[in-house]
Amino acid sequence: MRNFRKTLILIAAAMVLFSASAFAKPKTWVVGFSQEGSESEWRTADTISVQNAFLADPSFDLLYSDAQNKQENQIMAIRSFIARRVNCILFTALVETGYGPVLEEAKRAGIPVVMIDRDVAKEDRHLRLTIIGSDFMKEGEKAGIWLANYLKEKGMADKPINIVELQGTVGSAPAIERAKGFRIIMKDHPNWQITRSQSGDFTTAGGKAVMEAFLKEDKNIQVLFAHNDQMALGAEQAIKEAGLQPGKDIIVIGMDGVKGAFQAIMNGEQNCTVECNPLLGPQAVQAIRDLRDGKKIPPRIWTIEGLFDATNAAAAFPTRQY
Ligand code: AHR
């Protein structure tokens, strides 16, 4: 009888231990990720980084949706995440405005929203928890500072400088902020002038078409400031087809730091690229893990980024991941 009671106690203790360890395991969280599209090498690297980071943690299930550069698709995807009652929504806004109502719906459903890369407009920021990504304004400033130093080095600091600008997707955070940042530096250089500015929609084809049009209308261009490398690479094609040498006849500044831009810098056809890091997956997983664990997460999570030109591109190239 005593032995029987002892066995019962042991079984009960084992059950308690088993259930405690089952509770200690983090529960699976379903995260709905709404990506805005796949317009550039940068974007592809970003998507893969997020997918791989969530795949590496079995306590998460990632639902992925590509909006194909259409805001209405993105709003539909977020609504479907809300209907499925996901634990968290991860979201890159194609453009800044127009997401207020759907973010209100997520809030009412009690689903936290974490932004990645591109933010929403100021008036809607109270509806999301945090944003993980780059300081686009600083990127624009870095491009301007680089140009000022380069022109000084070349003895052109006081010459009239005509700049053409290839803007990113109209209304998107990087297009708005990079343009602003560059113009902040321009204020110190009254001899610089933006003579033409148009969107190439962050694509190679867009960059090429707009640069072709610029070159048809205007032969007096010293600098091209492109809001991403994809457009810079397309524009370099257009410059060559117009019988000019990109990187020499026209100074080319790109952004992102994709491998194609590194190759162009090493070939002397692009002068610099301001890095914008797309490998945001690990930071996104960490932030959402912290959220699940009830930790406080900061309202802004930055990435660390550099700048590459003829002085350092070749040395960095072998270690580039995108
Ligand atoms: O939001 C980041 C920007 O979007 C990158 O500069 C660009 O290449 C991408 O498409």
Side-chain angles (χ1 to χ4, degrees):
M1 186 62 184
R2 192 182 288 163
N3 269 352
F4 179 66
R5 197 178 293 156
K6 219 180 190 173
T7 315
L8 271 183
I9 293 169
L10 278 174
I11 291 172
M15 281 172 74
V16 167
L17 274 176
F18 173 77
S19 55
S21 70
F23 277 124
K25 267 211 266 159
K27 60 178 172 130
T28 302
W29 252 36
V30 180
V31 176
F33 173 34
S34 168
Q35 178 60 286
E36 54 87 5
S38 54
E39 70 289 347
S40 59
E41 282 175 66
W42 189 100
R43 185 67 49 205
T44 307
D46 178 54
T47 301
I48 293 172
S49 167
V50 172
Q51 288 174 328
N52 285 346
F54 279 97
L55 210 61
D57 185 335
S59 71
F60 286 112
D61 275 341
L62 187 75
L63 306 177
Y64 171 67
S65 165
D66 174 356
Q68 297 176 344
N69 298 96
K70 291 200 176 76
Q71 186 175 40
E72 60 272 27
N73 289 348
Q74 214 167 16
I75 292 173
M76 245 160 43
I78 296 172
R79 285 216 168 102
S80 87
F81 293 150
I82 298 171
R84 290 179 72 159
R85 306 210 56 80
V86 298
N87 297 94
C88 179
I89 292 170
L90 184 64
F91 160 47
T92 295
L94 174 68
V95 291
E96 285 194 336
T97 54
Y99 296 97
V102 77
L103 293 182
E104 293 277 7
E105 288 167 37
K107 193 174 183 166
R108 276 198 299 276
I111 301 173
V113 174
V114 170
M115 304 297 301
I116 181 168
D117 171 33
R118 297 188 192 175
D119 210 349
V120 286
K122 264 201 188 92
E123 61 269 23
D124 293 330
R125 290 188 191 157
H126 65 285
L127 298 167
R128 50 93 168 137
L129 215 58
T130 187
I131 161 99
I132 302 157
S134 309
D135 186 338
F136 298 132
M137 177 108 82
K138 181 123 317 121
E139 289 172 355
E141 287 179 19
K142 277 188 192 173
I145 294 168
W146 178 88
L147 180 61
N149 291 333
Y150 187 78
L151 292 173
K152 198 165 162 198
E153 231 174 72
K154 299 282 165 198
M156 293 164 72
D158 300 319
K159 301 238 164 80
I161 301 294
N162 289 348
I163 303 168
V164 295
E165 181 182 42
L166 281 170
Q167 294 225 7
T169 301
V170 176
S172 68
I176 296 169
E177 302 288 306
R178 287 172 184 166
K180 267 191 209 157
F182 190 76
R183 281 159 180 78
I184 290 175
I185 304 303
M186 280 190 75
K187 284 194 193 131
D188 298 331
H189 303 278
N191 56 322
W192 299 6
Q193 203 196 343
I194 296 190
T195 47
R196 280 158 218 280
S197 176
Q198 202 177 309
S199 172
D201 218 8
F202 280 132
T203 64
T204 307
K208 183 167 188 275
V210 176
M211 193 66 198
E212 275 167 2
F214 285 168
L215 287 163
K216 266 190 201 130
E217 295 156 2
D218 190 354
K219 297 280 173 270
N220 189 14
I221 301 170
Q222 282 73 50
V223 177
L224 162 65
F225 168 44
H227 287 191
N228 79 347
D229 286 332
Q230 221 64 56
M231 293 188 293
L233 292 168
E236 285 153 26
Q237 280 294 323
I239 296 171
K240 283 194 267 185
E241 286 169 20
L244 296 168
Q245 279 189 285
K248 295 192 178 65
D249 296 322
I250 297 180
I251 298 166
V252 180
I253 303 172
M255 301 208 150
D256 282 356
V258 297
K259 281 186 184 167
F262 271 72
Q263 261 145 357
I265 293 174
M266 293 187 290
N267 293 338
E269 295 184 345
Q270 184 167 323
N271 302 83
C272 105
T273 180
V274 178
E275 188 180 34
C276 176
N277 186 4
L279 308 176
L280 302 171
Q283 282 172 296
V285 169
Q286 189 55 53
I288 297 177
R289 200 183 283 137
D290 285 350
L291 176 67
R292 182 183 60 192
D293 295 347
K295 293 188 189 151
K296 198 173 156 44
I297 56 174
R300 196 49 167 109
I301 301 170
W302 301 108
T303 47
I304 297 165
E305 297 165 326
L307 183 147
F308 299 92
D309 60 11
T311 64
N312 59 356
F317 186 63
T319 61
R320 297 303 290 173
Q321 292 178 57
Y322 62 95

